[in-house]
């Protein structure tokens, strides 16, 4: 008897898993081969290669995967990494999930497919609807789809009964129109994927540095004397970052990696670009690649705050031994507030607590602090390993404190670098995709488009999910969002897709 239940999660089929010794070298020839395999298998040799040759090129298109920046100056012919090749291949996918596919597979069957299976069904060709009581999605015309959405929205008792989600997959132009439409509809319920990724960064950086985003460019990373990488796996999530780290290393930079996971990309890196140059290719093939981390602190999960407190405590101790050589007093006097209270506070942190909370020895932390003690070109990069903790905001403020002590802000080779996961997540925020819009942004909308935008802040993603659970939300619209998994977990299969 066919089971027609719709599952929230596909059955776990952990088959074929094998455990092997972790590799010590990231990227290399393997990355080149895999990138081509992806591009050719999903987009075809001609189309796939064409797409890769345009990827991240000035007259080409931006990678839709992570948000690692492109060089301002020269760009290599292959200005992409394996992940970028995979994402582009998926975007260039020639397979089609057409009405015939949905007529063959009921919702119950779709719910038993993994995300990868669903992705491999290919790109949607028609708007789809799940009519009340239906077991399958069925095609619907665009006009009917728009009329249905319009009817549902107009039937709401309040615009705040609808939630309009989006993610960094959406380019600036549609993002701007989306927020304008939603605000003219009457709500600020505009959550997005940054609520779950770098919201802590913006919340910590805006009040401390007056800038809710990173203060560095790619050039700063190349010019840094010391780079700290915290709660981030560059080799897995931002592979082209390894090229930037390699450039900095070649200029003498020291890299401190702070991570519970000893990620291969923080060990050694073989730059796939080297295979474009026959001489370099041989060296890269036989060599061990560029060593990345000079100091690797295998911290306890969420032990980063303790590491920072330890580094800062040792910087103060070194300043006592070498007055005026470690702490940038002139910068502190000219540009900061709250230094004295902070210095006294740091004295109270005990090394026992720091060692216990970080899972590291005083000796290890002091070794890291000594790498940046007499330097001021310091860049700190971080990602979800920092931001997705309840104390993420405080930890990022401590990163800022360390930079202010060193005067390592607002100069070449120095600054804060929250590394984002989605290509246009920063762009969307700038376009107004935020449930907590600033008054001056709303004033500008009012002046330009002559309507009174809603002023009450909206729901972020988590509050939105809670409101769905509590039945306070009646309509959920997602544009380019990765919320499908979220809805699956909530057993909320969408009523319709328009793509
Ligand atoms: S580093 Fe990120 S943005 Fe660059 S090609 Fe790779 S996935 Fe795309």
């Amino acid at each position: 008897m066919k089971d027609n239940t719709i599952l929230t999660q596909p059955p776990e089929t952990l088959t074929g898993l094998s455990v092997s010794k972790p590799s010590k070298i990231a990227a290399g020839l393997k990355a080149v081969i895999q990138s081509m395999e992806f591009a050719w298998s999903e987009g075809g040799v001609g189309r796939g290669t064409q797409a890769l040759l345009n990827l991240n090129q000035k007259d080409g298109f931006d990678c839709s995967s992570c948000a690692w920046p492109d060089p301002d100056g020269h760009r290599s012919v292959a200005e992409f990494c394996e992940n970028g090749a995979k994402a582009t291949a998926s975007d260039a996918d020639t397979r089609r999930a057409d009405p015939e596919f949905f007529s063959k597979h009921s919702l119950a069957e779709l719910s038993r497919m993994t995300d990868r299976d669903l992705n491999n069904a290919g790109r949607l060709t028609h708007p789809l609807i799940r009519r009340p009581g239906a077991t399958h999605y069925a095609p619907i015309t665009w006009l009917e789809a728009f009329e249905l959405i319009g009817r549902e929205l107009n039937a709401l008792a309040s615009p705040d009964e609808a939630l309009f989600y989006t993610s960094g997959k959406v380019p600036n132009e549609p993002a701007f129109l989306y927020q304008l439409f939603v605000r003219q509809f009457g709500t600020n319920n505009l959550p997005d994927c940054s609520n779950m990724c770098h919201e802590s960064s913006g919340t910590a950086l805006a009040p401390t540095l007056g800038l809710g985003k990173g203060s560095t460019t790619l050039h700063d990373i190349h010019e840094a004397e010391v780079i700290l990488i915290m709660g981030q796996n560059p080799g897995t999530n931002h592979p082209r970052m390894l090229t930037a780290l390699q450039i900095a290393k070649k200029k003498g930079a020291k890299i401190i990696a702070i991570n519970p996971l000893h990620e291969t990309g923080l060990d050694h890196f073989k730059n796939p670009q080297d295979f474009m140059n026959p001489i370099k290719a041989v060296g890269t093939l036989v060599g061990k690649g560029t060593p990345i981390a000079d100091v690797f602190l295998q911290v306890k999960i969420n032990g980063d705050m303790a590491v920072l407190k330890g580094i800062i405590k040792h910087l103060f101790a070194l300043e006592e031994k070498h007055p005026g050589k470690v702490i940038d007093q002139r910068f502190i006097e000219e540009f900061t507030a709250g230094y004295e209270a902070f210095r006294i506070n740091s004295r109270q942190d005990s090394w026992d607590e720091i060692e216990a909370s970080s899972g590291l020895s005083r000796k290890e932390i002091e070794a890291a602090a000594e790498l940046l003690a007499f330097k001021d070109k310091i860049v700190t990069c971080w990602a979800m390993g920092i931001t997705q903790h309840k104390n993420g905001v405080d930890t990022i403020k401590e990163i800022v404190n360390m930079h202010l002590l060193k005067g390592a802000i607002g100069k070449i080779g120095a600054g804060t670098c929250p590394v984002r996961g989605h290509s246009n997540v920063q762009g969307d925020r700038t376009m107004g995709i935020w449930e907590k819009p600033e008054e001056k942004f709303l004033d500008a909308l009012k002046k330009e488009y002559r309507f009174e935008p809603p002023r009450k802040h909206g729901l972020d993603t988590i509050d939105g999910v809670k409101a769905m659970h509590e039945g306070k939300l009646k309509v959920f619209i997602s544009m380019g969002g990765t919320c499908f998994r979220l809805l699956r977990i909530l057993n909320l299969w969408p009523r319709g897709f328009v793509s």
Side-chain angles (χ1 to χ4, degrees):
M1 210 336 254
K2 214 171 184 184
D3 177 354
N4 272 329
T5 357
I6 299 173
L7 300 183
T8 53
Q9 283 299 328
E12 288 286 350
T13 48
L14 291 176
T15 52
L17 286 182
S18 65
V19 179
S20 59
K21 244 167 121 289
S23 164
K24 285 271 178 225
I25 303 175
L29 193 56
K30 203 169 158 211
V32 177
I33 295 166
Q34 287 216 331
S35 301
M36 301 327 290
E37 272 172 7
F38 286 129
W40 293 344
S41 63
E42 303 209 8
V45 175
R47 208 155 164 273
T49 311
Q50 189 61 33
L52 289 185
L53 290 174
N54 284 305
L55 181 55
N56 293 330
Q57 297 302 326
K58 287 191 176 152
D59 50 6
F61 57 87
D62 235 356
C63 176
S64 65
S65 185
C66 88
W68 190 254
D70 304 320
D72 293 332
H74 165 71
R75 294 191 186 173
S76 134
V77 177
E79 191 58 59
F80 55 84
C81 76
E82 213 178 314
N83 294 0
K86 210 189 287 181
T88 304
S90 176
D91 293 344
D93 195 347
T94 50
R95 291 167 292 190
R96 293 289 174 266
D98 55 15
E100 197 197 333
F101 170 82
F102 289 98
S103 65
K104 280 197 196 123
H105 301 286
S106 68
L107 271 119
E109 281 169 60
L110 294 173
S111 75
R112 283 163 177 72
M113 292 181 184
T114 64
D115 291 1
R116 186 175 168 77
D117 300 335
L118 292 168
N119 186 61
N120 288 347
R123 303 183 73 94
L124 292 176
T125 57
H126 290 68
L128 296 161
I129 185 160
R130 177 189 172 204
R131 297 197 187 280
T135 57
H136 289 63
Y137 281 116
I140 182 177
T141 64
W142 283 104
L143 183 58
E144 212 190 334
F146 294 144
E147 284 170 352
L148 171 68
I149 296 168
R151 260 199 319 277
E152 294 279 347
L153 288 173
N154 288 337
L156 296 174
S158 149
D160 287 333
E161 289 185 338
L163 191 81
F164 300 85
Y165 180 87
T166 189
S167 87
K169 276 270 184 184
V170 176
N172 287 351
E173 296 75 8
F176 183 80
L177 272 181
Y178 191 54
Q179 65 81 28
L180 187 58
F181 151 60
V182 172
R183 293 205 164 99
Q184 281 185 325
F185 176 65
T187 180
N188 282 317
N189 281 350
L190 277 160
D192 73 336
C193 57
S194 358
N195 291 152
M196 293 159 313
C197 78
H198 271 289
E199 196 73 67
S200 324
S201 302
T203 310
L205 294 172
T208 50
L209 293 180
L211 173 73
K213 49 194 139 194
S215 64
T216 49
T217 63
L218 201 46
H219 182 61
D220 291 317
I221 294 186
H222 297 164
E223 297 302 317
E225 295 166 310
V226 183
I227 300 171
L228 291 94
I229 305 172
M230 305 184 72
Q232 188 210 352
N233 300 325
T236 310
N237 300 327
H238 309 94
R240 275 191 304 154
M241 179 173 169
L242 297 179
T243 304
L245 297 177
Q246 185 187 42
I247 294 169
K249 290 282 304 198
K250 285 189 176 152
K251 292 185 177 184
K254 295 293 180 203
I255 295 181
I256 302 167
I258 304 170
N259 200 320
L261 174 76
H262 199 136
E263 200 225 11
T264 305
L266 295 167
D267 226 314
H268 283 76
F269 167 55
K270 280 190 177 180
N271 194 331
Q273 307 289 342
D274 293 348
F275 293 101
M276 306 243 254
N277 169 324
I279 298 152
K280 274 193 186 168
V282 177
T284 306
L285 262 180
V286 294
K288 280 182 78 189
T290 307
I292 298 292
D294 296 278
V295 169
F296 186 87
L297 299 179
Q298 194 144 20
V299 68
K300 263 190 191 171
I301 292 179
N302 201 15
D304 306 87
M305 173 65 106
V307 177
L308 290 162
K309 282 185 178 298
I311 289 175
I312 288 166
K313 198 173 173 59
H314 194 50
L315 291 177
F316 277 124
L318 290 169
E319 172 69 10
E320 274 171 29
K321 279 198 199 134
H322 313 277
K325 294 271 185 291
V326 180
I327 306 284
D328 189 335
Q329 298 297 350
R330 192 188 58 72
F331 181 91
I332 288 167
E333 274 144 35
E334 203 172 334
F335 298 110
T336 75
Y339 170 71
E340 208 34 48
F342 176 70
R343 192 181 64 75
I344 293 162
N345 220 9
S346 167
R347 277 182 179 285
Q348 269 125 44
D349 296 327
S350 83
W351 274 111
D352 293 345
E353 278 161 28
I354 288 169
E355 290 185 323
S357 315
S358 66
L360 300 163
S361 70
R362 175 173 177 170
K363 196 158 165 274
E364 287 175 289
I365 297 174
E366 287 182 343
E370 266 141 37
L371 278 186
L372 50 100
F374 303 101
K375 307 286 183 196
D376 62 358
K377 288 187 174 182
I378 302 161
V379 169
T380 302
C381 304
W382 69 85
M384 304 312 106
I386 298 289
T387 63
Q388 290 184 337
H389 287 291
K390 285 206 172 83
N391 63 338
V393 173
D394 291 340
T395 305
I396 295 160
K397 284 184 176 174
E398 200 70 353
I399 292 173
V400 172
N401 289 336
M402 180 183 71
H403 277 260
L404 295 179
L405 282 185
K406 297 294 300 162
I409 288 278
K411 60 175 76 158
I412 301 251
T416 50
C417 182
V419 186
R420 297 177 179 270
H422 250 186
S423 52
N424 198 35
V425 76
Q426 190 55 62
D428 282 0
R429 258 302 144 92
T430 314
M431 291 302 115
I433 301 287
W434 196 11
E435 76 283 352
K436 298 190 198 80
E438 291 176 351
E439 283 301 310
K440 64 177 188 236
F441 178 80
L442 297 177
D443 294 341
L445 277 186
K446 177 178 177 178
K447 188 157 167 271
E448 186 64 29
Y449 297 98
R450 300 195 194 86
F451 77 101
E452 182 52 55
R455 302 279 167 170
K456 191 181 88 185
H457 283 180
L459 299 170
D460 67 16
T461 308
I462 303 304
D463 292 340
V465 171
K466 288 181 187 149
M468 273 190 239
H469 257 297
E470 293 150 11
K472 290 184 188 143
L473 284 177
K474 307 272 184 316
V475 173
F476 174 84
I477 297 185
S478 164
M479 183 157 75
T482 53
C483 65
F484 186 42
R485 176 184 281 282
L486 192 62
L487 294 180
R488 283 186 89 163
I489 293 166
L490 293 168
N491 198 12
L492 289 167
W493 280 76
R495 274 198 57 198
F497 284 99
V498 287
S499 133

